């Protein structure tokens, strides 16, 4: 069961207030400890480029999505009882036809884009982790970007483990390793302050619960 989240269209003053509310900040870290910033997927600021595929919020009591969706809802085990899913989902296995620009987008930032305003306490390299739920072979990819830019280090986040469960991972699919390589998904943030962290569709049917940014490379996998 799914509910459409309409894009926000607000007056500048109201929007400025909302951005301040939605700006996420890291908990203070002790000297020498890594910074970790965690954000719920459904707490995005805006959604764009969503005429072909868009993100729907899934939660208890949400309206039924009227279109292709290859699996049942998983909100009962999602953080906060809600998550986002990129729909419709028309390619679930290698046997389903791949249609670039419809059920697949290899170029970051071109389809179903979510923007988040996040407060970064200090400049540096932040590794990106996402908690996702994958049930097939073709619903396990997404891209991440920064401030309207889509660096190569944010392309092709990939999940091959933890199928049929919510699973944290931070791997980049490469030509040599389709299962993904750890430590290669990161954003270089040049200065502290508010920044826009963005995610865009790579494969439809992707289920997105939350993400985190950390200054620790190859940190232990979060459990929740």
């Amino acid at each position: 069961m799914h509910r459409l989240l309409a894009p926000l269209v607000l007056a500048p003053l109201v929007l400025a207030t909302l951005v301040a509310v939605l700006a996420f900040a890291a908990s203070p870290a002790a000297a020498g400890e890594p910074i970790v910033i965690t954000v719920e997927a459904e707490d995005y600021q805006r959604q764009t480029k969503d005429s072909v595929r868009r993100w729907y919020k899934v939660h208890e009591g949400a309206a039924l999505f009227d279109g292709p969706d290859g699996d049942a809802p998983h909100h009962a085990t999602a953080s906060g009882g809600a998550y986002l899913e990129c729909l419709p989902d028309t390619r679930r296995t290698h046997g389903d036809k791949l249609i670039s620009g419809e059920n697949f987008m290899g170029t970051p930032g071109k389809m179903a884009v979510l923007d988040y305003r996040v407060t970064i306490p200090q400049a540096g390299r932040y590794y990106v982790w996402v908690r996702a739920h994958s049930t097939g072979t073709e619903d396990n990819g997404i891209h991440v970007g920064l401030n309207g830019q889509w660096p190569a280090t944010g392309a092709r986040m990939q999940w091959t483990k933890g199928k049929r469960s919510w699973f944290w991972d931070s791997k980049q699919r490469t030509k040599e390793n389709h299962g993904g390589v750890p430590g290669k998904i990161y954003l270089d943030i040049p200065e502290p302050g508010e920044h826009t962290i963005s995610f865009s569709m790579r494969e439809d049917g992707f289920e997105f619960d939350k993400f985190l940014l950390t200054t620790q490379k190859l940190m232990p996998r979060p459990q929740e």
Side-chain angles (χ1 to χ4, degrees):
M1 295 184 292
H2 311 281
R3 185 182 300 276
L4 173 64
L5 295 182
L8 297 172
V9 181
L10 299 172
L13 180 58
V14 177
L15 181 58
T17 302
L18 182 61
V19 167
V21 172
L22 292 181
F24 298 89
S27 299
E33 290 187 359
I35 295 168
V36 178
I37 307 169
T38 305
V39 180
E40 293 284 342
E42 60 270 22
D43 290 338
Y44 63 89
Q45 178 198 0
R46 65 174 181 170
Q47 176 171 191
T48 59
K49 300 182 180 179
D50 55 0
S51 60
V52 178
R53 293 291 187 275
R54 67 175 290 123
W55 298 92
Y56 291 79
K57 184 177 180 180
V58 184
H59 60 93
E60 184 68 30
L64 181 68
F65 174 72
D66 184 19
D69 182 3
D71 56 2
H74 305 113
H75 59 271
T77 52
S79 174
Y83 64 96
L84 300 182
E85 183 171 5
C86 194
L87 295 168
D89 180 13
T90 61
R91 186 168 188 260
R92 303 160 198 162
T93 72
H94 290 299
D96 298 322
K97 184 177 180 180
L98 185 154
I99 306 174
S100 183
E102 183 174 311
N103 56 27
F104 174 83
M105 176 48 69
T107 304
K110 297 298 184 182
M111 284 183 65
V113 177
L114 296 168
D115 291 337
Y116 300 82
R117 293 294 290 172
V118 181
T119 299
I120 304 298
Q122 67 183 47
R125 176 164 294 179
Y126 287 79
Y127 297 88
V128 185
W129 288 71
V130 167
R131 190 175 193 247
H133 193 296
S134 173
T135 56
T137 59
E138 305 302 326
D139 63 352
N140 58 346
I142 197 172
H143 307 291
V144 61
L146 172 68
N147 296 331
Q149 303 298 311
W150 298 87
T153 58
R156 304 182 310 280
M157 291 191 75
Q158 185 81 0
W159 283 256
T160 55
K161 296 182 178 180
K163 290 288 185 179
R164 297 175 177 81
S165 67
W166 290 110
F167 190 77
W168 281 103
D169 219 341
S170 178
K171 292 182 179 179
Q172 184 175 55
R173 177 187 172 103
T174 66
K175 185 182 297 184
E176 297 76 22
N177 189 338
H178 288 188
V181 180
K184 288 187 172 292
I185 294 291
Y186 59 83
L187 301 171
D188 286 327
I189 300 180
E191 59 187 11
E194 286 191 4
H195 294 270
T196 299
I197 308 299
S198 302
F199 291 86
S200 71
M201 185 196 99
R202 184 171 187 269
E203 297 172 322
D204 66 5
F206 189 89
E207 299 184 15
F208 183 15
D209 189 24
K210 55 185 176 179
F211 70 92
L212 69 79
L213 309 174
T214 179
T215 53
Q216 182 180 0
K217 184 177 183 179
L218 303 177
M219 68 174 280
R221 176 175 288 106
Q223 297 304 306
E224 297 296 336

